[in-house]
Amino acid sequence: MTENLPRGNFGPIPSSLPAISWFEFLLNEDLLEKHLQQDNPDPSPVQLIVQFLQQADAHVVKEPLPPIPPGDNDSIEPQEVKVFIKENKKVKALRLLALRVAAHLKWNLNIILTGVPLVMVQTLITELLKITLGCDFNTVEDRLSGDTVTEEALFALHLYHRWCLMSVVRDSFPVRPVKHFAQMQGQLDSMVSSANEAVIRYLKERTDLSVEYLQKCLQCGRVLRMPIMHCIIIPSEDQEDSLFHWDKAIDIDPQDYQSQIMYDLGTFYFYTEAYTDALHMFTQCLDTVSKVTSPQLSDIDTARLKGYHTACQTLRSVQTPQEKARESLYQLAEQARKNEYQGLIDVIIEDNLKQELTSAYRSDLEDELGNKDDKYSEIYMQVSVCNVIRSVMEGKALVSLLADIVEDAEHSTVDFLIMVLSKAMAGSSFSQKSNLKCFIWHLMDLSPVGSRFNTMVVSGELRNYFTQEEIKEMNQYIKESSSLSYSDIYDDATTMCSSYPNSRDSSVSAGTVEQQLMFMYEPESINSLTRELILKLGRSPAYVMALNEKWKVPKEMHQIIYNLAPSVEQAFVYLLIGKACHCIDVRIFERARQLLLVADRNVYEISYILSKHVRWYILLADLLQFYTTKSLGMNTTLQDLIKKTKTCITSVRLDQDIQPTMAILEHCAAFLLNIRDWQYLTNMENSGSGHIELCKLLACMCKELPSIKSARIPARALWEAVKNVFTNNPSYKRSMSGRMDSAHVRDSTLAILAKELFIDFLPKIKEPLVLSVMVSCLSKFYNIIRDEISCEISSDYLALWPTTVSNISAMNKPGIEEAVVLLMQHVLQVNPSQPSWLRTQADIHFANGQYSPALKFYMEAGVVASDFFSSAVPKSIYDDQVYKRMIKCCSYLQCHTQVAVLCQFAEEIDYATCFKALQERNCYDAMDTYYSCIWDISILEYLVHLHSKRGEMEKKQAALKALTQLDLNSSNPEDIIQRAVQMRKRKFLRALAKQYL
């Protein structure tokens, strides 16, 4: 067996020896340049620097100085032994070789700092300072900020100060330890780490000096001379002193080195959170870099520079100790009021986007200006315009107060309106842009053809927010001729529909009567306008009914109305029902109810079937209003609504000829479920409706809860029903109507609802108990189809359900996963503070490998269950399984210190996982800041040992400080120890919550 023999001071050599050894470069002066010119030299330039400096340090001769003879007063105190360091020719040559390699790398600190230990970089740059400044090491420190130096010395000084700042910034990032080509013996690793920390502490004390020098260097404007390999000559055997040919150095253009200094200063300012100064530096750097055509020195990642610049623009508003707090918009508005309203409009326009001022405050400002003299009329008008825009952006539906203003407005008023709209569109969200676009369409509809407003919208920057089709339609508003008549162009509804695109709510804008009918929702006005169109202007009823594509009448009423004789009453009823359905869609329930009541009075004598459907849609408006707002319509009580709902369901149970639609029926069933009318739902038999049958099963189970024993039988029935919904049965499929044929009523394998109808019905449930039952049921199915014990989802009432499913291969797995996801989105909208639901959502994310959102929901569940950890989190929310999953999440996110702290929370501390996590060097959390949250003595002792071994003295002191806390003394009474544990738990969990929430 062959052994690797030691070679020099390297210790055991690597498995593959380099092609050339370090001492060969001393023997052949030209060998270094030939070696570095290779494509992939072995050893690499960085490895050569390490080798040369290591060998130079190993060959330094240290001789003790003779002791000082004692004086008259003989002292018996021992004298300190001083050492004289003697550098022989070999040591000097090795350090010069390291400098030549650095010169070959063009003194690129990004490369050098990546592969060379910090203490060696300090030796390298100090050696460069010595040979360029021409003075001893002891006097170098005193001349670091001198300005009467040569160009090559100026280069060395700038390089030194850049290295100071870069080293401090790099130390703030967790990095993997540098792998050296030369393996060090014994405890050399810890010695290097300790020396590095000492260098960092020294550099942190000198950052102010380095920043000051680099700022002066930016303004000096001198040309730097960068030493190259041929500037440094290695001394020969016959030559004692080294020779330096500085005339061969390369001139560095000021813009070249200034861009690099700006970048390094910017990163340091960013590190110190001085974002304004950092932004200034990065902005200048971007401008300067673009002017440097062939950089000799600067090595700047442009993409990273732009990223820093964007980050500073975002973070500049963050409050820092050095920055003055920005005045709020309220303070600015109050100052404007005291200063004769100077600058008020700018504040109001800015508030349209930031929305800091309340609507009431802005309304008061408008009223205040309205009561002033005429000299304030212009600013009053501008504030009024801004307030309308603010209301539109908030989504408030209003008939614009600007319509009359725009029609006869001066040019300055229209220009101001366009300007406010442009600024609002530029900085608004997607929903706000939609609101503003509808508002612009509304104003164009109400403005005269060819008005200045319409022209500026089509020709200005606002057109960029509309599609090409919309722009074409807008062009209709700026035609000079406004004498177009529908009687001249359109003969019937078919011609009209084919001539105008249906890209907007109102497709017609050229006829005054049609325009009024578009925006009119008063029944009397609709009736009069309909009569005018049909009787006076000669339009057909079909034409009137086809004016707007949004006036859609449900199909069960559509055919009945079209079968009526063409007349004013036919068009009037159609418009009433169509406008009412549109109001229901946009949740204007009171207006919809008013229109439907008038429609019912008009059709009662004409068609009993149509009247019945209209009344059911009135019921639908009531149910949707109660579901959406928890309020009732005018002159309606909850008992009246319950009575109407049960009457509607009875018509289905009695199998009457006229029956409500499935949409109405499912809202009726959901309503009774949401008001907890268990008694009525459980007594229904043979309803013939899948929605009612599902609600009956849910009501039977909820009625028996919370008794688990009593609820097992109805739970089994619900389980089988849900299983059939998600079972692929090719032999028979239920119709989309949700109704069951009498021939299949007793078929136990038939699904009560189609999968799509079942999933669509879940969001209509709002009762927390019912939602908990559905979450539990679907979660159990989810666990069974995944069959992963380590990723099981927890929920309430899991003990009620079976543990297996027969014929699991026939289950629709994607359908169950879709149902679970949609149900969890719905339940967390109903109550985002339900701890058990939050834990279920966290488990789902964990099962899908989404560790960051899983940890977020675990923390959210703990926060709401313990009032931000002011009390202990219940075991039902945080048990051992949750802690293990949180540990796994933190581990995948490489937050290893958090893993170590969480290991304490389990009933039995997992020391193996904890110690393994603490050994990780690549860690992305607060690291030693969390040591104050550790209460286990064994973990703290391990940390002290670990940091001592690595030579990390600052972190060792942090661990010692946590270890020596008085309340962790094992001799303390139990209550004091428990109080100390709970205090640290609370502190750590709150820190996690602030990070992940």
Side-chain angles (χ1 to χ4, degrees):
M1 180 175 180
T2 305
E3 295 182 357
N4 291 326
L5 299 177
R7 186 176 182 179
N9 290 327
F10 278 41
I13 63 176
S15 57
S16 59
L17 285 173
I20 192 169
S21 299
W22 61 270
F23 59 83
E24 298 181 45
F25 296 103
L26 289 172
L27 304 176
N28 186 349
E29 183 179 354
D30 300 328
L31 182 60
L32 180 63
E33 185 174 0
K34 294 179 180 178
H35 176 76
L36 294 176
Q37 287 176 352
Q38 298 177 17
D39 293 336
N40 292 303
D42 181 23
S44 67
V46 171
Q47 291 171 347
L48 281 176
I49 292 176
V50 174
Q51 291 181 45
F52 291 147
L53 293 178
Q54 277 183 344
Q55 294 302 322
D57 185 62
H59 288 84
V60 170
V61 178
K62 299 180 181 180
E63 299 178 353
L65 291 175
I68 300 174
D72 296 335
N73 298 326
D74 294 340
S75 176
I76 60 174
E77 296 180 0
Q79 296 184 4
E80 180 182 358
V81 179
K82 297 186 177 180
V83 177
F84 171 71
I85 299 177
K86 183 179 180 181
E87 297 181 354
N88 54 33
K89 189 182 298 184
K90 185 176 184 179
V91 172
K92 294 179 180 178
L94 287 169
R95 289 181 177 170
L96 291 177
L97 283 172
L99 288 177
R100 295 194 76 187
V101 177
H104 169 75
L105 296 175
K106 294 185 177 180
W107 308 99
N108 192 318
L109 292 177
N110 291 324
I111 299 175
I112 295 173
L113 287 174
T114 302
V116 182
L118 194 62
V119 65
M120 293 185 180
V121 181
Q122 184 186 37
T123 303
L124 184 73
I125 298 182
T126 303
E127 190 69 22
L128 178 66
L129 287 168
K130 287 170 59 178
I131 65 174
T132 53
L133 289 170
C135 58
D136 294 335
F137 173 77
N138 295 331
T139 59
V140 167
E141 297 291 321
D142 299 330
R143 299 186 58 184
L144 288 183
S145 54
D147 52 1
T148 58
V149 292
T150 61
E151 284 77 6
E152 58 271 10
L154 190 63
F155 174 86
L157 287 169
H158 119 278
L159 188 70
Y160 173 84
H161 288 293
R162 280 182 49 219
W163 166 72
C164 290
L165 298 187
M166 289 179 66
S167 300
V168 171
V169 173
R170 280 174 172 260
D171 183 65
S172 64
F173 301 114
V175 294
R176 294 185 181 274
V178 177
K179 294 183 178 180
H180 308 297
F181 169 76
Q183 299 295 324
M184 305 179 192
Q185 292 182 348
Q187 296 297 319
L188 209 53
D189 259 333
S190 62
M191 292 172 60
V192 171
S193 298
S194 180
N196 287 346
E197 289 198 359
V199 172
I200 285 294
R201 285 197 297 271
Y202 171 75
L203 294 181
K204 287 182 178 179
E205 297 172 356
R206 301 178 58 81
T207 53
D208 292 341
L209 176 63
S210 296
V211 170
E212 181 182 358
Y213 178 83
L214 290 176
Q215 287 176 339
K216 290 180 180 178
C217 192
L218 284 176
Q219 300 172 1
C220 72
R222 295 178 62 183
V223 175
L224 303 186
R225 294 181 63 82
M226 183 175 70
I228 61 174
M229 289 185 64
H230 299 292
C231 295
I232 304 170
I233 306 300
I234 308 300
S236 61
E237 297 179 2
D238 303 328
Q239 180 183 349
E240 291 294 331
D241 297 329
S242 304
L243 295 177
F244 305 104
H245 301 303
W246 300 124
D247 55 324
K248 297 181 180 180
I250 299 175
D251 291 342
I252 304 298
D253 186 74
Q255 290 183 338
D256 192 354
Y257 71 79
Q258 284 173 359
S259 63
Q260 185 65 58
I261 292 176
M262 291 171 186
Y263 181 80
D264 293 333
L265 280 174
T267 55
F268 179 76
Y269 287 140
F270 191 89
Y271 159 74
T272 58
E273 299 182 3
Y275 301 120
T276 301
D277 295 334
L279 178 63
H280 177 66
M281 281 297 163
F282 288 133
T283 304
Q284 285 188 315
C285 184
L286 279 170
D287 182 57
T288 308
V289 164
S290 62
K291 300 176 182 177
V292 180
T293 55
S294 56
Q296 294 288 341
L297 173 68
S298 59
D299 179 30
I300 299 173
D301 185 349
T302 308
R304 193 175 183 87
L305 172 61
K306 292 179 180 178
Y308 270 124
H309 186 267
T310 304
C312 287
Q313 288 179 318
T314 305
L315 294 171
R316 190 172 51 169
S317 60
V318 177
Q319 184 73 21
T320 61
Q322 295 80 15
E323 293 180 357
K324 182 180 178 181
R326 188 186 69 84
E327 292 181 309
S328 65
L329 292 182
Y330 175 78
Q331 293 173 322
L332 296 175
E334 286 298 304
Q335 291 176 8
R337 289 180 64 191
K338 296 176 183 178
N339 194 25
E340 294 292 321
Y341 302 100
Q342 294 294 323
L344 178 63
I345 299 304
D346 294 333
V347 176
I348 297 296
I349 293 176
E350 184 179 358
D351 183 65
N352 282 347
L353 297 177
K354 296 186 176 180
Q355 298 188 357
E356 292 182 13
L357 303 178
T358 63
S359 299
Y361 179 80
R362 293 179 52 146
S363 179
D364 291 342
L365 278 177
E366 183 178 350
D367 294 340
E368 179 181 322
L369 288 166
N371 296 326
K372 295 278 185 183
D373 300 335
D374 291 342
K375 68 176 183 177
Y376 296 102
S377 59
E378 182 177 0
I379 191 172
Y380 167 69
M381 178 275 299
Q382 293 176 344
V383 171
S384 301
V385 169
C386 291
N387 284 349
V388 172
I389 302 301
R390 164 73 179 271
S391 300
V392 171
M393 295 178 69
E394 291 177 346
K396 296 180 180 178
L398 48 86
V399 177
S400 174
L401 303 176
L402 298 178
D404 297 333
I405 299 176
V406 172
E407 186 171 356
D408 299 318
E410 297 179 355
H411 288 182
S412 60
T413 303
V414 177
D415 293 343
F416 178 78
L417 173 60
I418 293 294
M419 182 268 292
V420 174
L421 284 171
S422 300
K423 289 187 175 182
M425 289 287 280
S428 59
S429 64
F430 178 79
S431 59
Q432 290 172 337
K433 278 187 173 65
S434 299
N435 295 336
L436 288 170
K437 287 174 67 175
C438 291
F439 177 72
I440 292 172
W441 276 117
H442 177 61
L443 282 184
M444 294 184 73
D445 282 336
L446 298 180
S447 301
V449 175
S451 69
R452 179 176 176 81
F453 176 79
N454 295 348
T455 304
M456 293 189 68
V457 168
V458 175
S459 60
E461 63 181 69
L462 285 175
R463 65 177 288 137
N464 298 328
Y465 300 99
F466 295 89
T467 63
Q468 291 297 326
E469 291 75 13
E470 290 172 329
I471 296 297
K472 290 179 182 178
E473 188 174 351
M474 283 180 176
N475 290 324
Q476 300 294 328
Y477 293 93
I478 59 176
K479 290 182 177 179
E480 295 298 331
S481 175
S482 59
S483 59
L484 297 176
S485 172
Y486 279 101
S487 57
D488 299 332
I489 303 176
Y490 306 115
D491 295 330
D492 53 21
T494 304
T495 308
M496 186 278 300
C497 292
S498 63
S499 301
Y500 266 81
N502 293 327
S503 60
R504 291 178 48 245
D505 291 353
S506 55
S507 300
V508 184
S509 58
T512 305
V513 179
E514 284 87 344
Q515 285 183 357
Q516 295 177 25
L517 189 57
M518 291 289 178
F519 303 102
M520 195 60 62
Y521 284 87
E522 293 295 333
E524 295 80 4
S525 301
I526 295 173
N527 190 16
S528 61
L529 291 171
T530 303
R531 289 183 173 278
E532 183 175 355
L533 277 173
I534 296 176
L535 300 179
K536 293 184 178 180
L537 299 179
R539 305 292 187 271
S540 66
Y543 166 81
V544 176
M545 291 187 288
L547 278 176
N548 194 329
E549 63 174 4
K550 289 297 180 70
W551 299 339
K552 294 180 180 178
V553 174
K555 61 181 181 180
E556 59 272 8
M557 292 188 277
H558 186 277
Q559 192 60 41
I560 299 175
I561 295 176
Y562 268 83
N563 288 337
L564 299 176
S567 61
V568 174
E569 288 73 18
Q570 180 198 30
F572 178 51
V573 169
Y574 185 93
L575 293 182
L576 289 174
I577 298 175
K579 284 177 175 284
C581 291
H582 181 60
C583 288
I584 291 176
D585 291 339
V586 296
R587 298 183 178 182
I588 308 176
F589 301 111
E590 200 60 47
R591 178 58 57 85
R593 191 180 297 107
Q594 178 187 5
L595 293 171
L596 289 171
L597 287 172
V598 174
D600 184 40
R601 288 197 297 267
N602 281 269
V603 302
Y604 184 76
E605 299 294 338
I606 302 175
S607 173
Y608 172 75
I609 298 177
L610 184 58
S611 175
K612 195 78 171 177
H613 283 294
V614 170
R615 292 178 187 178
W616 279 330
Y617 265 83
I618 296 174
L619 173 61
L620 178 62
D622 291 335
L623 292 174
L624 286 172
Q625 180 175 348
F626 184 81
Y627 171 82
T628 306
T629 64
K630 284 289 184 181
S631 63
L632 298 168
M634 295 178 59
N635 302 322
T636 302
T637 64
L638 182 59
Q639 292 303 320
D640 292 338
L641 186 56
I642 294 174
K643 183 178 179 181
K644 293 177 182 178
T645 302
K646 292 180 178 179
T647 302
C648 179
I649 292 178
T650 302
S651 66
V652 178
R653 296 179 62 192
L654 297 178
D655 198 19
Q656 296 179 354
D657 294 336
I658 308 172
Q659 293 194 358
T661 62
M662 183 184 63
I664 297 174
L665 202 58
E666 63 177 329
H667 279 285
C668 290
F671 168 73
L672 294 176
L673 202 61
N674 290 330
I675 64 172
R676 301 172 68 98
D677 196 345
W678 312 139
Q679 192 64 36
Y680 180 80
L681 288 171
T682 55
N683 290 332
M684 285 194 297
E685 297 291 341
N686 299 327
S687 64
S689 167
H691 295 100
I692 297 176
E693 289 297 320
L694 177 61
C695 291
K696 175 187 175 182
L697 294 172
L698 288 167
C700 290
M701 182 172 175
C702 294
K703 184 180 179 181
E704 300 299 333
L705 287 173
S707 173
I708 300 296
K709 184 177 180 181
S710 302
R712 286 191 183 278
I713 295 177
R716 186 72 187 193
L718 177 62
W719 176 267
E720 291 297 329
V722 175
K723 184 185 77 171
N724 292 336
V725 168
F726 291 101
T727 299
N728 297 320
N729 188 356
S731 61
Y732 177 81
K733 291 185 179 180
R734 173 184 301 279
S735 66
M736 287 301 292
S737 66
R739 302 184 185 278
M740 296 184 291
D741 283 343
S742 58
H744 296 88
V745 166
R746 298 183 182 180
D747 186 355
S748 60
T749 64
L750 176 64
I752 59 175
L753 277 175
K755 175 181 68 69
E756 294 79 9
L757 297 178
F758 177 83
I759 294 176
D760 290 342
F761 180 70
L762 293 178
K764 296 177 175 62
I765 304 173
K766 281 196 172 183
E767 168 55 35
L769 180 60
V770 180
L771 289 175
S772 292
V773 168
M774 290 307 307
V775 168
S776 179
C777 180
L778 290 175
S779 297
K780 189 65 177 180
F781 275 112
Y782 192 79
N783 287 334
I784 292 174
I785 64 172
R786 287 181 66 94
D787 194 21
E788 296 180 22
I789 298 177
S790 61
C791 298
E792 283 197 351
I793 300 170
S794 65
S795 61
D796 299 327
Y797 314 119
L798 278 179
L800 287 170
W801 315 110
T803 56
T804 59
V805 174
S806 59
N807 194 19
I808 192 173
S809 60
M811 296 290 293
N812 187 341
K813 297 180 182 180
I816 294 176
E817 293 176 353
E818 178 188 2
V820 169
V821 171
L822 294 177
L823 178 60
M824 291 311 303
Q825 291 177 354
H826 171 62
V827 298
L828 291 178
Q829 287 177 349
V830 173
N831 186 1
S833 301
Q834 171 61 261
S836 63
W837 294 348
L838 290 169
R839 179 182 169 177
T840 302
Q841 182 64 72
D843 287 342
I844 293 172
H845 283 305
F846 181 84
N848 291 324
Q850 300 164 343
Y851 299 110
S852 182
L855 200 52
K856 171 186 178 298
F857 279 100
Y858 280 131
M859 296 311 304
E860 199 167 340
V863 165
V864 299
S866 61
D867 194 14
F868 199 53
F869 305 109
S870 58
S871 58
V873 182
K875 289 273 188 176
S876 59
I877 303 301
Y878 276 7
D879 53 15
D880 259 17
Q881 186 185 46
V882 170
Y883 288 130
K884 289 178 181 177
R885 293 183 176 186
M886 291 171 67
I887 287 171
K888 188 173 182 180
C889 291
C890 291
S891 179
Y892 272 95
L893 296 174
Q894 299 190 50
C895 298
H896 301 296
T897 318
Q898 295 175 3
V899 170
V901 179
L902 282 170
C903 285
Q904 303 173 109
F905 284 72
E907 293 184 4
E908 295 184 5
I909 300 178
D910 187 357
Y911 287 109
T913 302
C914 176
F915 294 161
K916 183 179 179 182
L918 291 175
Q919 290 173 3
E920 295 285 346
R921 290 181 179 269
N922 200 16
C923 187
Y924 295 101
D925 57 25
M927 301 177 74
D928 51 320
T929 308
Y930 289 124
Y931 290 176
S932 60
C933 301
I934 300 176
W935 62 85
D936 185 79
I937 302 300
S938 299
I939 297 176
L940 290 171
E941 290 175 343
Y942 178 79
L943 280 169
V944 173
H945 166 73
L946 181 67
H947 293 315
S948 297
K949 182 179 178 181
R950 293 178 177 175
E952 299 168 343
M953 296 299 112
E954 289 186 1
K955 294 181 180 180
K956 176 184 175 182
Q957 291 301 320
L960 280 172
K961 183 179 179 181
L963 180 62
T964 55
Q965 293 297 307
L966 295 178
D967 55 353
L968 292 182
N969 193 322
S970 58
S971 300
N972 287 338
E974 185 64 24
D975 60 334
I976 293 179
I977 294 178
Q978 286 302 316
R979 192 181 308 126
V981 171
Q982 295 304 322
M983 180 185 68
R984 285 163 173 77
K985 281 186 176 182
R986 185 183 306 117
K987 180 180 179 181
F988 177 70
L989 290 174
R990 285 178 175 175
L992 281 190
K994 290 178 181 178
Q995 177 180 348
Y996 291 106
L997 297 184

